[in-house]
Amino acid sequence: MRDRQVARGTRRAREFEAFVAGAAGRLLHAATLLTAEAPNANPRARRLLTLALAHTYARWDRLHGEDPYDCARQHLATRFARAVWHQYVAFGRARPDPRSPLAALTPQERLILVLRLYEGVAEEQAAALLGLPAERVHTVCDRATANLLHPARPAAPRAAGPKVAPS
């Protein structure tokens, strides 16, 4: 009996290690896009990844045919959404790294854009995951894409006109 438990634990660890070897890089990139951190300085993204992988490992034996990548991605997205509420709403807005390609977007726009375009999650699935109507996900994704493709130009400084001497 004990030998069987040890063998099962060893097999579980090997399967999970193989999953992490194949999925961690992509999940870390998604987390880095979400947090809008620089790729080489991304502590919040690494924390999100660690929590998502820990959650997936804890559920490993109960996945029963579910995709472990989907489980980790869902946990990553929901943790980010909850963390955003605390960071941005409750405690003031944290500034994204200007080197991030998604730095100009709001956290919600980044989340939806990463799920839809980088991860390829269907609109209806993203809406269900985030608890939003599918139309809202569509609108936010379109707006975020437009903002990335056609960023707003900073207002040009006004030219000072000739000074008129008082008469």
Side-chain angles (χ1 to χ4, degrees):
M1 180 72 163
R2 177 89 173 122
D3 291 339
R4 231 182 313 169
Q5 287 176 336
V6 170
R8 187 173 37 224
T10 303
R11 187 188 78 241
R12 176 184 188 209
R14 266 190 268 122
E15 289 173 352
F16 186 74
E17 285 175 14
F19 163 71
V20 170
R26 183 176 174 98
L27 285 167
L28 178 60
H29 187 68
T32 303
L33 290 171
L34 288 173
T35 59
E37 294 174 300
N40 55 352
N42 53 4
R44 290 185 338 198
R46 290 179 182 279
R47 175 139 173 83
L48 275 174
L49 174 64
T50 301
L51 292 170
L53 291 176
H55 174 79
T56 304
Y57 184 72
R59 292 194 56 212
W60 194 258
D61 290 334
R62 296 186 313 266
L63 288 175
H64 300 298
E66 288 180 60
D67 181 9
Y69 185 86
D70 188 47
C71 176
R73 180 181 56 219
Q74 284 180 11
H75 191 75
L76 189 84
T78 56
R79 282 299 287 222
F80 174 75
R82 267 189 260 135
V84 163
W85 186 88
H86 289 289
Q87 287 176 325
Y88 292 85
V89 177
F91 303 115
R93 184 174 180 178
R95 300 204 187 277
D97 189 302
R99 295 172 290 181
S100 169
L102 304 182
L105 302 179
T106 67
Q108 184 183 53
E109 289 172 335
R110 286 195 309 261
L111 178 57
I112 290 172
L113 197 72
V114 168
L115 286 174
R116 294 281 296 122
L117 301 182
Y118 181 72
E119 288 293 323
V121 175
E123 200 169 272
E124 294 79 18
Q125 287 178 307
L129 176 64
L130 302 175
L132 297 170
E135 297 81 25
R136 176 76 178 142
V137 169
H138 179 80
T139 301
V140 171
C141 188
D142 283 352
R143 182 180 61 227
T145 304
N147 287 342
L148 283 178
L149 295 175
H150 309 288
R153 293 182 187 169
R158 289 187 156 173
K163 292 188 178 182
V164 178
S167 17

